[in-house]
Amino acid sequence: MDALGFFRLGHVFVANMTGNLVLLAVAVAGGHASQASRSLWALLGFMVGAFLLSALGATRRLWWFVALESLFLLLMGIFFWDAVARGGSAVLAAIFVDSFAMGVQSRQDRQINLGGIITKVGTGTLTQIMDESMLFIREKRAEEWNVRLAVFL
């Protein structure tokens, strides 16, 4: 998925958030606003997906995970091919939806504790931050969450 996203959606990763953090830094340093926006959309989509699944409460039931992942893979395919055909804002929508799906997948992998799935430092850390965000919100510990997010960024 990352290879397709990188070459067909404007040099952005939809699953590798560590790579997007690097691409974002390079784009900002080079003054390339459009590239920076694509990286930001990917990061935002991933964070929303991971946060939303955490808020809804992930399950350990494997059938639920497979069904959810199948739905998101279908949506990813539809958005991806539409973006390639139309370009423009459809590309940003595809980046968001595809990264959202990868955020959901990363969060679910964390929940069912499949060893070796989250191997990227930035991606794993971002998943953990979004997962713990719901805990901090529920326990009204916003200050601690703000510090962790600031340290990550």
Side-chain angles (χ1 to χ4, degrees):
M1 196 67 212
D2 265 340
L4 285 173
F6 190 80
F7 290 112
R8 302 296 285 182
L9 296 177
H11 299 99
V12 67
F13 299 109
V14 295
N16 181 347
M17 296 304 115
T18 306
N20 283 324
L21 289 168
V22 171
L23 291 174
L24 176 61
V26 169
V28 168
H32 304 289
S34 63
Q35 178 59 44
S37 72
R38 288 189 296 273
S39 294
L40 284 172
W41 276 103
L43 289 164
L44 181 63
F46 186 92
M47 290 168 51
V48 169
F51 183 81
L52 182 62
L53 193 63
S54 183
L56 295 175
T59 179
R60 290 190 181 272
R61 295 185 182 136
L62 190 57
W63 66 266
W64 188 86
F65 168 68
V66 171
L68 184 66
E69 189 63 21
S70 297
L71 172 66
F72 281 119
L73 285 172
L74 176 66
L75 288 173
M76 286 170 61
I78 291 168
F79 272 85
F80 178 81
W81 292 115
D82 182 56
V84 169
R86 292 191 313 148
S89 62
V91 170
L92 296 179
I95 290 169
F96 182 87
V97 169
D98 292 357
S99 297
F100 176 92
M102 294 296 98
V104 167
Q105 180 185 61
S106 186
R107 172 59 183 90
Q108 186 63 26
D109 290 346
R110 182 176 154 83
Q111 176 67 28
I112 61 176
N113 199 22
L114 289 175
I117 297 293
I118 300 173
T119 58
K120 305 292 185 235
V121 174
T123 304
T125 303
L126 197 55
T127 302
Q128 182 176 352
I129 289 171
M130 292 301 103
D131 190 28
E132 291 176 354
S133 295
M134 185 50 54
L135 176 67
F136 292 146
I137 289 170
R138 286 182 182 142
E139 295 179 2
K140 297 182 181 8
R141 294 171 28 203
E143 301 81 23
E144 187 177 342
W145 180 79
N146 290 336
V147 169
R148 286 183 183 214
L149 186 59
V151 167
F152 176 74
L153 297 176

